[in-house]
Amino acid sequence: MTNGNSLNDLFTESNQPTAKGITGNPQPVIEAEVVNRCVKIVWQFDESHSKFSMMEIIIDRNEEPRMQGRVMVNPKNLCYFDLFPFPPIQSRWIYRAIFWSGIKRIGQWSPLVSVVIPLNTNPLIAVPIQSHK
């Protein structure tokens, strides 16, 4: 991790050390979508991911003051729900992930993924989602 103050500083770290037994330069691929009043982050899992103890997800909520977050998830779980309350204004939240082995990051950061958080002034009214046919 760098000493910078922004998520961009974290994202510039492309090549992380490789752990014992892990070959190549692993990179998670994540997708994000708004589901009701939360953001669902999903990723694919294959057997090569079983060597990783955790996956770190960095969140930039693009608000003032900067609302940045970090969560550690089990890469075998295949999804994470960001339950942070939606702001009263339309916003864009950005996500990125990287694998961990033991106590260090492994491989490369995933590509940036962003979602538009819809305008909703009443937190009790759920935002309708589009059906995927």
Side-chain angles (χ1 to χ4, degrees), residues 75-96:
K76 296 176 186 177
N77 288 346
L78 306 181
C79 75
Y80 166 76
F81 288 92
D82 184 356
L83 301 176
F84 194 84
F86 284 4
I89 60 172
Q90 187 173 22
S91 182
R92 180 178 301 274
W93 291 359
I94 303 168
Y95 297 85
R96 196 160 225 195

Side-chain angles (χ1 to χ4, degrees), residues 67-118:
M67 295 300 296
Q68 300 175 0
R70 177 183 116 163
V71 294
M72 302 297 279
V73 298
N74 183 334
K76 296 176 186 177
N77 288 346
L78 306 181
C79 75
Y80 166 76
F81 288 92
D82 184 356
L83 301 176
F84 194 84
F86 284 4
I89 60 172
Q90 187 173 22
S91 182
R92 180 178 301 274
W93 291 359
I94 303 168
Y95 297 85
R96 196 160 225 195
I98 194 166
F99 291 120
W100 278 66
S101 180
I103 59 170
K104 60 184 173 181
R105 291 178 178 141
I106 300 297
Q108 292 186 352
W109 285 99
S110 69
L112 290 173
V113 173
S114 68
V115 292
V116 174
I117 304 303

